[in-house]
Amino acid sequence: MIRNMTEGSIPRHMLRFAIPLLLANALQTLYVTVDAFVIGRFVGTSALSAVSTCGDLITFYSMIAMGFSSAGQIIISQFVGKDDRDSIKGMIGSLLTFLVLLALALSAILLLTTKQQLHLLNLPEEAFASGVSYTMICGAGLIFVYLYNAISAILRGMGDSKRPFIFIAVAAVLNMVLDVLFVRYLDMKVFGAALATVIGQGVSFVASIAYLYRHRVSFGFDFKPQSFRIDMPWFKRLLSLGIPMAIQSAAVSFSKIILMAWGEDKAEAVKAVAEGKMDAAIPATLLQRHEDITLYVDEPAAEQLTRVVAPWLVGPCEWSRKYIRRAVVWLCQTVGKPILKLTE
């Protein structure tokens, strides 16, 4: 089952390997996006705020797994190139054992300090209960994320990026279906969205571990209890390469900025941040230069935004009677003419 990528066309090998890898990484970040879309569509603004903020926190913990898994993938691929079966077995055992222990430790920390971490993220009070529920359920399922990433790293290290993509694709589709079922039809709200995410992640883990076990002879890992141990030589290499990669991956997950505003007294500030001219006298307007910023507001806080006041200036809109009347008044004010002289 090991694919030798040093023989044949190298560009072709790289392309066949890279495309499923990119698609799998994109799908792995889709869980929170789907949750946010379904919650925003069928539940409401405060629940959406909870899922978006807490989703970023869960992504932060998940990125740690991706960093260490990527390091393990690199080391395994080096051993594959050397055809060193003993080292491959030792690295697989060390990677799986370490990530299981790390997942359990981080899950415990997250579950025990959920409220404190959400307070640090300034989650609004009206979204706090939903945020706690979402974070604790996803935190309990963190081990599925870590083990899926570990097994995917093993497969990719041996030249197979196609099957990890298939496993995560099936799980992503299942997550979308369960999101709609739990949230819209069973009215489970944020709890349902979190449960759908954990079930999807669990399915991807079960599928990947079943595949690895079925082909254990080819991979050179026998799954015996004594094989699940940390070999210090390989563990040191994993840490030396994995710690910088984990820090980088985790830091990227928090490179986005989220601003939240509630109430009509924030409307002027929201307009300045979203549409105003950048001015050092109003520091928040400078955030428009940031590549990844999301602004969550309620209707009163958004009442001065162009997309609310005059949506036809932003893009196509549904011309209801309300908007037709508003557009006529806007046009009169813009051209400085009464309604009866608009044709002149």
Side-chain angles (χ1 to χ4, degrees):
M1 301 302 295
I2 297 177
R3 178 179 297 170
N4 190 341
M5 299 181 67
T6 62
E7 298 177 355
S9 173
I10 301 299
R12 182 181 300 173
H13 282 315
M14 292 178 64
L15 188 62
R16 290 179 61 185
F17 183 85
I19 292 177
L21 175 63
L22 293 173
L23 292 175
N25 288 341
L27 285 176
Q28 198 161 8
T29 62
L30 189 62
Y31 285 111
V32 174
T33 304
V34 172
D35 287 350
F37 175 80
V38 173
I39 288 295
R41 177 69 176 82
F42 299 113
V43 182
T45 306
S46 62
L48 173 61
S49 173
V51 170
S52 299
T53 302
C54 300
D56 287 333
L57 181 61
I58 296 299
T59 300
F60 168 77
Y61 281 91
S62 301
M63 286 296 182
I64 296 174
M66 294 183 69
F68 282 108
S69 297
S70 297
Q73 174 184 322
I74 292 171
I75 297 171
I76 290 172
S77 66
Q78 291 173 343
F79 291 146
V80 169
K82 295 178 181 178
D83 196 25
D84 188 345
R85 293 294 182 126
D86 290 336
S87 296
I88 292 174
K89 179 180 178 181
M91 189 64 238
I92 291 176
S94 297
L95 179 63
L96 289 174
T97 304
F98 171 64
L99 284 185
V100 166
L101 295 175
L102 183 62
L104 293 175
L106 292 180
S107 289
I109 292 172
L110 181 57
L111 293 176
L112 292 173
T113 63
T114 296
K115 292 183 179 180
Q116 291 83 347
Q117 293 189 51
L118 296 185
H119 278 304
L120 288 175
L121 293 175
N122 293 320
L123 187 64
E125 192 63 33
E126 59 269 26
F128 200 83
S130 297
V132 170
S133 174
Y134 186 87
T135 303
M136 294 190 72
I137 295 170
C138 291
L142 206 59
I143 191 168
F144 296 140
V145 178
Y146 276 58
L147 285 175
Y148 164 77
N149 277 281
I151 297 169
S152 295
I154 294 167
L155 295 175
R156 290 167 183 154
M158 297 182 179
D160 184 0
S161 63
K162 180 180 178 180
R163 283 172 182 81
F165 164 66
I166 294 174
F167 299 148
I168 197 67
V170 172
V173 172
L174 178 62
N175 176 54
M176 286 188 283
V177 173
L178 292 180
D179 259 337
V180 175
L181 174 64
F182 291 164
V183 176
R184 181 177 182 181
Y185 294 103
L186 299 182
D187 197 28
M188 297 171 68
K189 300 180 180 179
V190 171
F191 175 85
L195 184 61
T197 296
V198 171
I199 292 174
Q201 292 167 341
V203 166
S204 65
F205 158 66
V206 171
S208 58
I209 195 70
Y211 178 83
L212 192 65
Y213 182 79
R214 193 181 307 121
H215 299 89
R216 58 190 180 279
V217 176
S218 301
F219 290 117
F221 189 73
D222 53 22
F223 278 88
K224 294 180 179 178
Q226 59 267 29
S227 297
F228 289 93
R229 60 189 178 89
I230 293 178
D231 289 329
M232 290 310 298
W234 313 140
F235 183 57
K236 289 179 180 178
R237 289 189 62 179
L238 178 64
L239 288 182
S240 63
L241 186 60
I243 290 176
M245 296 183 73
I247 292 174
Q248 180 184 13
S249 298
V252 167
S253 70
F254 269 128
S255 64
K256 63 171 61 179
I257 294 176
I258 297 176
L259 296 180
M260 298 180 184
W262 316 98
E264 59 183 10
D265 58 322
K266 300 294 192 304
E268 187 175 346
V270 167
K271 180 175 177 60
V273 171
E275 302 176 350
K277 182 179 179 181
M278 287 188 290
D279 186 350
I282 308 176
T285 61
L286 302 178
L287 292 175
Q288 295 176 23
R289 296 176 179 173
H290 197 277
E291 295 181 356
D292 194 354
I293 178 171
T294 305
L295 185 62
Y296 292 102
V297 298
D298 60 0
E299 290 185 6
E303 65 182 11
Q304 294 187 23
L305 293 176
T306 301
R307 68 193 63 194
V308 175
V309 176
W312 54 87
L313 297 178
V314 179
C317 69
E318 184 177 345
W319 286 103
S320 62
R321 284 182 169 272
K322 172 185 175 182
Y323 282 144
I324 291 174
R325 288 195 296 267
R326 186 180 295 179
V328 171
V329 173
W330 171 84
L331 184 59
C332 290
Q333 293 174 339
T334 301
V335 300
K337 293 183 177 181
I339 294 177
L340 297 179
K341 291 189 175 182
L342 287 179
T343 56
E344 295 180 5

